Amino acid sequence: MRKYLLSAFAVCAAFAACAQGPRPGFEEKTVYKGDDLEIRQIDEHTWHGNGHVMANEAIYIIEGEERAIVLDAGTEIKDYDKIIAQITSKPVTLIATHVHPDHTGSAVNYFDEIYINAGDMVNVEAMMGDYKGEIKYLVDGQVFDLGGREIEVIFTPGHTPGSTTFMDKAAGYGFSGDAFGSGNLLLTTNWSTLLITCQRTLEYMKKHNITKLYPGHYMGRNCETQQRVADMMQMSRDVLDGKLAGEKNTQGMMGLNTVLSMHGVRINYADSALK
Ligand SMILES: [Zn+2]
Ligand SMILES: [Zn+2]
């Protein structure tokens, strides 16, 4: 799987530069640099980390007054729990944006429990099979109250059946894992799923004035925007209506043998996704 993902990201590393930096007034700075992870502070109580194994796989630390969320665990991060403790002194909850080896890698084992979307149980045996802790399930619409900061759970299937986005309405941003951006691979799902996810997410972003989504492979400037979600929604609709078709991708892996490129978005999919 890892080999597959590495290749897939190499093939589709069309990460759009949407010129989105950190929040105005806060200078993003590196606060930790180790062998497996580099962490940057993106605002007063939010940090972003990059692993170095699979296309800058991202982790995020989202802190409230009483507790913090650790979003994703990278591929291989030695002493991840100790690194996190250097960043926040609050008790942490580990949550996965989805179950893939670059987001729920070996470092999940530093935590007694992990929250995932039950839709990704299909991946657990193959990709998180040696996890000894307790797997808990996210609920669509549930809110994690961190103390003065609330993070809402929005199910956004498409990349995987259990891909999930986490919204901070007060901050005006969210964290989308690989649901948007990050190479746009439709793995075991289809265009109808992506269409509904885009419709729902765009509606939410407009209603709550969410201007950007930090993706699962964040490189400093490649946040997803309302426009990008709208573009993906239109592409999904046009593919389903037969107005658009991708090109065969000879390097496609895991059956993702077609790629559709438009508006700076590349969506990789299998023939079986055409429904
Ligand atoms: Zn990923
Ligand atoms: Zn993924």
Side-chain angles (χ1 to χ4, degrees):
M1 186 64 197
R2 176 184 302 175
K3 199 170 164 205
Y4 149 65
L5 275 174
L6 277 170
S7 309
F9 281 120
V11 168
C12 62
F15 299 98
C18 62
Q20 296 261 331
R23 293 174 77 187
F26 195 94
E27 194 180 338
E28 197 164 333
K29 58 180 186 258
T30 298
V31 294
Y32 172 87
K33 200 167 186 173
D35 289 343
D36 302 325
L37 188 66
E38 179 172 343
I39 299 178
R40 286 194 298 276
Q41 190 167 11
I42 54 180
D43 61 31
E44 205 174 346
H45 296 283
T46 315
W47 294 264
H48 151 249
N50 273 139
H52 314 302
V53 185
M54 288 196 213
N56 292 302
E57 65 273 45
I59 65 98
Y60 295 92
I61 303 162
I62 306 157
E63 185 189 64
E65 287 162 16
E66 288 159 24
R67 57 189 70 85
I69 287 172
V70 172
L71 202 57
D72 288 345
T75 310
E76 279 176 353
I77 304 170
K78 194 168 178 297
D79 294 329
Y80 189 42
D81 54 339
K82 295 186 182 72
I83 296 168
I84 299 294
Q86 290 180 41
I87 304 295
T88 178
S89 58
K90 311 284 194 247
V92 299
T93 302
L94 178 65
I95 303 178
T97 58
H98 64 298
V99 178
H100 263 169
D102 49 334
H103 300 265
T104 52
S106 57
V108 295
N109 288 306
Y110 293 114
F111 296 81
D112 293 335
E113 59 179 47
I114 182 171
Y115 279 86
I116 70 167
N117 179 328
D120 271 6
M121 280 306 288
V122 290
N123 290 340
V124 163
E125 195 179 331
M127 301 180 191
M128 220 175 76
D130 62 348
Y131 183 60
K132 303 285 188 299
E134 184 183 356
I135 295 177
K136 294 186 166 182
Y137 299 115
L138 298 162
V139 176
D140 191 35
Q142 110 182 69
V143 173
F144 285 89
D145 183 353
L146 306 179
R149 185 174 193 182
E150 293 188 337
I151 303 297
E152 188 172 350
V153 173
I154 306 293
F155 285 6
T156 46
H159 174 66
T160 62
S163 284
T164 303
T165 295
F166 300 84
M167 299 291 196
D168 185 334
K169 286 189 278 200
Y173 58 64
F175 305 89
S176 56
D178 292 352
F180 302 98
S182 301
N184 296 305
L185 312 176
L186 290 185
L187 292 166
T188 70
T189 71
N190 57 33
W191 284 97
S192 302
T193 308
L194 184 63
L195 175 59
I196 290 166
T197 284
C198 288
Q199 283 171 335
R200 193 164 178 247
T201 305
L202 187 61
E203 198 174 303
Y204 185 99
M205 290 177 81
K206 283 181 173 167
K207 183 173 173 191
H208 300 293
N209 202 22
I210 303 282
T211 58
K212 61 182 174 180
L213 300 173
Y214 286 97
H217 295 262
Y218 180 55
M219 295 157 194
R221 302 192 78 78
N222 56 314
C223 282
E224 295 296 304
T225 60
Q226 290 185 12
Q227 184 60 55
R228 296 260 300 178
V229 177
D231 288 343
M232 285 172 70
M233 185 171 77
Q234 190 59 47
M235 287 162 74
S236 305
R237 210 174 260 139
D238 288 349
V239 167
L240 288 165
D241 289 348
K243 293 182 196 162
L244 261 184
E247 291 178 6
K248 288 297 167 198
N249 176 10
T250 52
Q251 292 169 291
M253 308 280 287
M254 289 270 286
L256 301 189
N257 57 354
T258 311
V259 59
L260 178 62
S261 301
M262 281 185 84
H263 312 296
V265 182
R266 286 167 62 88
I267 301 179
N268 296 263
Y269 61 100
D271 296 338
S272 57
L274 287 167
K275 55 189 178 196

